Amino acid sequence: MLAFILRGRMKIKFKLIATAAAGLEAVVGREIRNLGLECQVENGRVRFDGTVETIIETNLWLRAADRIKIVVGSFSAKTFEELFQGIFALDWENYLPLGAKFPIAKAKCVKSKLHNEPSVQAISKKAVVKKLQKHYARPEGVPLIENGAEFKIEVSILKDVATVLIDTTGFSLFKRGYRTEKGGAPIKENMAAAILLLSNWYPDKPLIDPTCGSGTFCIEAAMIGMNMAPGLHRHFAFEEWNWVDSDLVGRVRARALGQIKQDIQLDILGADIDARMVEIAKRNAEEAGVSEQIVFKQMRLQDLHTDKINGVIVSNPPYGERLLDDDAVTKLYQEMGQTFEPLKTWSKFILTSDEAFEAKFGSQADKKRKLYNGTLKVDLYQYFGQRVKRQID
Ligand code: SAH
């Protein structure tokens, strides 16, 4: 805290948002509440308040979010003059030290009078520069030197209301840092985690991904089961900022390390027809520190059988656009239906862009959820396992 005060008039309380892919906002909201914070779920984002420690914790712990951003301010802007004045009025001195790099990394205008995004970017930059020149008593007309830590600024104007944000994350949160190789069509790590959090899988149930590719579902499940923070292996933009106390970052990371359940027994199997992918999955699991919790093996999904009950199958099989031709996809989905059919107590969660999936698979999903794998519209087909009554002797 002392360092914090010494470093100047930096903020103590922040308005924050976690951005999320369409369809995953509620999952991110649940994760934020699990960290003990109140939040509001909106389209594409979840709003919450917090301290510097909150910024560190949410970046480190949120499995389904894309990024954590600071809301610097919000104001009405119908003209460039209003935009300039609105941005100039914000308390930039509380965020940007002298020497900071501060690109206006993104400008987005939707349903607004201001619609020329490059101009919005240029005007916004001028306004921040002018404010900092004034605050740090630098002469106008002499450009500020930007050779320090980077603060990426975003300006989005929706229905004539400008919202100005600073990204705290850096490269997106889906990049955990464990996936060194990915193979043909990997699912994003945060999407895989979100699907697991949406599913009825809990760490005491068996989990199988019969088309595991680079192992994303299995690795994310092991990390959930072990209570391992997903961001432990990576770096964040805020770690470069002078007002984020590196001792505090160290303490939050150390606390997360201490919370890992090393001795938990998980039952996670990943299989793929392609032996090369199995090797990649193993390497990624090792990199993530979860290899002891997962069995990976080369196997065709058609050969899957198990006597275990009440498990969960999660699969992101090949689909037309990405990996296979139509006939091969149809045949694979039919065989998938036949292979899974005897596993009555197992729940199945299958992610594909194929709108005819249910017909090919041979049964209708109990529930469907629309998601986006990158820009590709996909559906999560959810089949819930039959409950088995425990036998009473
Ligand atoms: N979710 C994975 C990507 C899966 S891509 C990831 O995050 O990396 C689909 C995978 O299905 C590919 O790796 C492919 O080799 C595998 N596959 C295709 N046909 C298969 C079959 N019959 N049995 C098992 N795996 C199969």
Side-chain angles (χ1 to χ4, degrees):
M1 190 46 110
L2 186 62
F4 195 80
I5 293 162
L6 286 176
R7 278 182 191 129
R9 302 188 300 116
M10 296 306 176
K11 284 218 150 177
I12 304 229
K13 208 64 176 154
F14 300 86
K15 291 207 171 309
L16 300 167
I17 60 170
T19 58
L24 301 183
E25 300 92 338
V27 185
V28 173
R30 208 162 74 201
E31 287 195 275
I32 291 176
R33 284 188 202 103
N34 285 343
L35 290 175
L37 300 161
E38 282 175 26
C39 65
Q40 279 163 270
V41 174
E42 297 176 4
N43 275 342
R45 57 177 54 175
V46 183
R47 288 181 191 273
F48 56 105
D49 292 340
T51 59
V52 173
E53 189 161 348
T54 316
I55 294 177
I56 305 170
E57 282 216 302
T58 46
N59 271 291
L60 199 62
W61 277 100
L62 293 185
R63 298 179 195 279
D66 281 333
R67 287 169 188 286
I68 313 299
K69 298 176 184 177
I70 298 170
V71 183
V72 185
S74 201
F75 51 87
S76 149
K78 293 192 176 116
T79 63
F80 283 122
E81 180 58 21
E82 282 176 3
L83 178 68
F84 185 92
Q85 294 304 341
I87 293 207
F88 184 80
L90 298 176
D91 57 344
W92 293 105
E93 66 279 10
N94 286 336
Y95 303 94
L96 305 180
L98 198 59
K101 267 193 217 104
F102 53 99
I104 312 293
K106 243 201 228 167
K108 206 170 148 203
C109 305
V110 179
K111 295 184 189 153
S112 297
K113 294 218 170 54
L114 293 177
H115 52 79
N116 185 326
E117 292 170 350
S119 302
V120 166
Q121 245 166 329
I123 302 267
S124 303
K125 179 78 188 189
K126 275 194 189 143
V128 185
V129 167
K130 190 159 183 212
K131 180 65 172 272
L132 294 183
Q133 282 168 333
K134 183 165 174 250
H135 180 78
Y136 292 115
R138 302 285 130 162
E140 270 186 53
V142 181
L144 288 168
I145 293 167
E146 296 188 32
N147 57 2
E150 185 171 62
F151 296 77
K152 281 203 171 111
I153 298 172
E154 299 178 13
V155 180
S156 78
I157 309 182
L158 173 64
K159 295 186 187 159
D160 299 323
V161 175
T163 303
V164 184
L165 306 162
I166 297 177
D167 173 48
T168 73
T169 299
F171 49 90
S172 171
L173 288 178
F174 81 81
K175 296 189 177 161
R176 315 284 205 222
Y178 64 73
R179 201 155 67 178
T180 48
E181 293 171 79
K182 346 187 241 226
I187 183 169
K188 282 188 181 167
E189 290 85 333
N190 55 356
M191 163 84 86
I195 289 172
L196 290 162
L197 295 175
L198 278 171
S199 79
N200 58 356
W201 177 75
Y202 290 98
D204 61 342
K205 291 185 183 180
L207 181 80
I208 300 178
D209 178 355
T211 58
C212 73
S214 59
T216 320
F217 277 119
C218 297
I219 295 169
E220 290 296 324
M223 289 170 76
I224 292 170
M226 293 173 76
N227 196 36
M228 184 186 278
L232 272 178
H233 302 277
R234 58 162 283 165
H235 184 268
F236 302 99
F238 67 74
E239 291 182 76
E240 302 299 317
W241 300 352
N242 69 335
W243 49 269
V244 175
D245 182 357
S246 52
D247 290 346
L248 179 61
V249 178
R251 283 199 300 281
V252 177
R253 281 187 183 276
R255 199 159 65 213
L257 270 174
Q259 286 171 3
I260 298 176
K261 298 178 190 162
Q262 293 289 3
D263 48 1
I264 195 167
Q265 287 290 317
L266 300 173
D267 185 351
I268 302 176
L269 172 69
D272 200 286
I273 196 168
D274 183 346
R276 220 177 21 131
M277 286 317 301
V278 176
E279 284 314 306
I280 290 175
K282 281 185 187 167
R283 271 205 293 281
N284 289 341
E286 252 163 54
E287 197 63 34
V290 298
S291 56
E292 285 180 14
Q293 300 290 353
I294 310 171
V295 175
F296 283 113
K297 65 176 185 186
Q298 193 255 325
M299 188 182 76
R300 293 166 70 240
L301 80 85
Q302 294 85 338
D303 296 329
L304 173 72
H305 34 75
T306 175
D307 296 331
K308 292 178 185 161
I309 57 167
N310 291 340
V312 173
I313 291 175
V314 59
S315 164
N316 166 215
Y319 27 87
E321 291 88 345
R322 303 191 94 181
L323 295 173
L324 285 180
D325 66 56
D326 280 354
D327 290 347
V329 166
T330 303
K331 185 157 178 289
L332 180 67
Y333 291 178
Q334 278 169 353
E335 290 173 351
M336 209 169 182
Q338 289 154 12
T339 311
F340 294 173
E341 213 275 327
L343 307 177
K344 302 227 186 279
T345 66
W346 285 64
S347 295
K348 294 116 196 164
F349 296 85
I350 298 143
L351 188 75
T352 171
S353 69
D354 191 330
E355 291 181 350
F357 174 77
E358 289 160 300
K360 297 172 185 173
F361 185 70
S363 71
Q364 228 183 352
D366 297 313
K367 228 167 127 184
K368 257 167 73 169
R369 181 184 277 256
K370 191 166 69 151
L371 297 170
Y372 289 87
N373 193 5
T375 52
L376 184 66
K377 184 182 157 299
V378 289
D379 281 293
L380 180 67
Y381 293 90
Q382 311 176 41
Y383 299 84
F384 298 108
Q386 293 170 7
R387 296 179 68 129
V388 259
K389 292 209 180 73
R390 287 187 197 282
Q391 288 202 332
I392 303 167
D393 302 316

